[in-house]
Amino acid sequence: MGSTVQFTVAVAEERLQLLDLVADMAAREERAWLAEQREGHVGLRGGKLAQARRATREKLAEQREAGALAGSRDWLLVPGVRAELAARGWDRDWPPIPSGALAAGRRWGTAPARYEGSHDEGETKFLGRLGLRLPGEVGERLQRACYWHNAEIERQLQEWADQWGDGPEVIMRESARENGGVTVLAGMLAALAPTPTADEMDRRAELRAKVVTTGDILRAALDRAVDEAPERARREHTRLRIAVTQARHEVDRARQCAAWAQAEWELAESLDKVDDAAKAKKEAGFWLAMATQHRFDEARFAAQADQVAKLLNELKTSPA
């Protein structure tokens, strides 16, 4: 991936769990693709082998950029991030962010309610933590786009805060968080705090709603990855069922070859052809071992196909 930019974003646990399942499936799909590509490297040496490996790496990079392959959940989200930037007209060059302007934590000006969406039980939805690394160009563009989009909005929100202060609501909420309840002093300060008019509160709400964080973009990219996952799962399920059928055919073929070798072994022994008998015995053992290996492959592919089928059902019933 070369240089990367790291992000950590709060997400719904259910979406994160689905993403991890999809990522496992996508990684297996990519490994199978690589194994198929490397079959073409057999017999190559020196410069030809190096050239073939380089071509495979380049093709893999193209497949990842296109979203066709994704060996990790990082790559699963890259197409979604690009799509979200493009949808906003942000997929372009942006000026550098001023030194020291980015800080950890929630973006200035974002209302706590943005992260307080809840389940029926009243708990916050965003209990999961998604850590990922985006390619440097994508991650930097995401950071710059959000920064410059928010710059003027944040300036106006800061002016609003300078005029109206924290307000009674914030004073009491901070007291409850720090002291386990609203203290008498906090109640007095809240009572004396300037109270914005309804129009001013609406103006602040409108400004806050316009703020777009990197987390907003990454959560949207996660949703895109999960929403597009059924097509990937159907493709992977088809590949695995074909692999099961092929493995089954290989089992039958290996057993047939073992039977032929067994017959040759018995015939050679009956004719006291020691060398021929030893050779046929060795060949029979080889084909029996191959039959066992292909049976393992058949069972492994069948189990993986069942896992993908289960994932498809989970994706169908997953809430958006």
Side-chain angles (χ1 to χ4, degrees):
M1 188 180 282
S3 64
T4 61
V5 180
Q6 188 162 351
F7 296 86
T8 301
V9 58
V11 298
E13 286 185 315
E14 295 82 359
R15 303 298 273 179
L16 182 58
Q17 290 167 1
L18 275 178
L19 180 66
D20 285 339
L21 291 174
V22 174
D24 288 342
M25 177 189 65
R28 185 171 59 244
E29 181 184 22
E30 182 176 287
R31 288 194 297 270
W33 182 89
L34 281 170
E36 183 178 344
Q37 295 295 309
R38 287 164 179 161
E39 287 178 1
H41 300 176
V42 176
L44 299 179
R45 295 290 184 274
K48 289 185 177 180
L49 178 58
Q51 183 178 3
R53 287 174 172 170
R54 183 168 58 252
T56 296
R57 289 195 298 271
E58 291 172 354
K59 191 173 181 179
L60 174 61
E62 292 173 358
Q63 293 287 303
R64 283 175 166 177
E65 287 288 343
L69 292 175
S72 67
R73 66 185 187 183
D74 300 337
W75 279 110
L76 273 173
L77 265 66
V78 168
V81 173
R82 291 189 187 278
E84 288 295 321
L85 291 175
R88 290 171 167 78
W90 294 358
D91 193 15
R92 56 186 173 85
D93 292 334
W94 293 85
I97 297 173
S99 177
L102 288 184
R106 192 172 72 220
R107 186 84 189 194
W108 198 96
T110 53
R114 184 188 293 260
Y115 305 96
E116 292 175 355
S118 60
H119 298 298
D120 293 339
E121 294 82 359
E123 296 177 349
T124 177
K125 289 193 297 185
F126 299 144
L127 294 176
R129 290 297 179 270
L130 169 62
L132 74 156
R133 296 171 300 146
L134 295 180
E137 175 264 332
V138 178
E140 187 171 324
R141 178 163 295 180
L142 171 59
Q143 288 180 329
R144 291 186 181 188
C146 289
Y147 176 84
W148 289 111
H149 167 79
N150 294 324
E152 175 59 21
I153 301 170
E154 291 184 357
R155 185 191 67 77
Q156 294 181 48
L157 283 167
Q158 287 172 338
E159 287 183 351
W160 192 100
D162 290 342
Q163 179 179 357
W164 296 106
D166 289 336
E169 178 186 351
V170 174
I171 293 172
M172 289 190 291
R173 185 172 62 242
E174 289 185 351
S175 175
R177 183 177 65 246
E178 295 174 1
N179 304 298
V182 179
T183 64
V184 174
L185 176 60
M188 294 175 59
L189 291 174
L192 296 174
T195 303
T197 64
D199 287 343
E200 284 295 326
M201 293 298 293
D202 289 343
R203 187 169 76 89
R204 185 181 68 166
E206 290 175 2
L207 288 170
R208 283 179 165 182
K210 293 178 181 178
V211 172
V212 178
T213 68
T214 56
D216 294 331
I217 301 295
L218 293 172
R219 279 186 288 272
L222 185 157
D223 288 340
R224 283 179 181 266
V226 173
D227 292 344
E228 294 169 1
E231 178 58 33
R232 184 185 296 275
R234 284 189 287 270
R235 185 175 67 234
E236 177 66 356
H237 190 264
T238 298
R239 184 190 72 82
L240 289 167
R241 295 312 305 175
I242 291 174
V244 168
T245 300
Q246 290 176 337
R248 190 173 297 138
H249 288 164
E250 290 299 325
V251 170
D252 293 340
R253 175 174 171 270
R255 285 173 173 171
Q256 187 177 39
C257 290
W260 289 340
Q262 179 75 22
E264 290 181 1
W265 173 22
E266 293 173 356
L267 177 60
E269 279 193 331
S270 68
L271 298 175
D272 288 331
K273 295 183 178 180
V274 178
D275 292 341
D276 290 346
K279 181 179 178 181
K281 180 180 179 181
K282 182 177 180 180
E283 186 175 357
F286 168 79
W287 285 114
L288 286 172
M290 290 300 294
T292 299
Q293 179 60 55
H294 291 311
R295 280 201 303 273
F296 285 145
D297 290 340
E298 179 186 353
R300 176 167 57 88
F301 292 139
Q304 291 174 356
D306 289 343
Q307 289 175 355
V308 174
K310 181 179 178 182
L311 174 59
L312 265 171
N313 288 331
E314 292 185 26
L315 290 167
K316 289 177 183 177
T317 59
S318 170

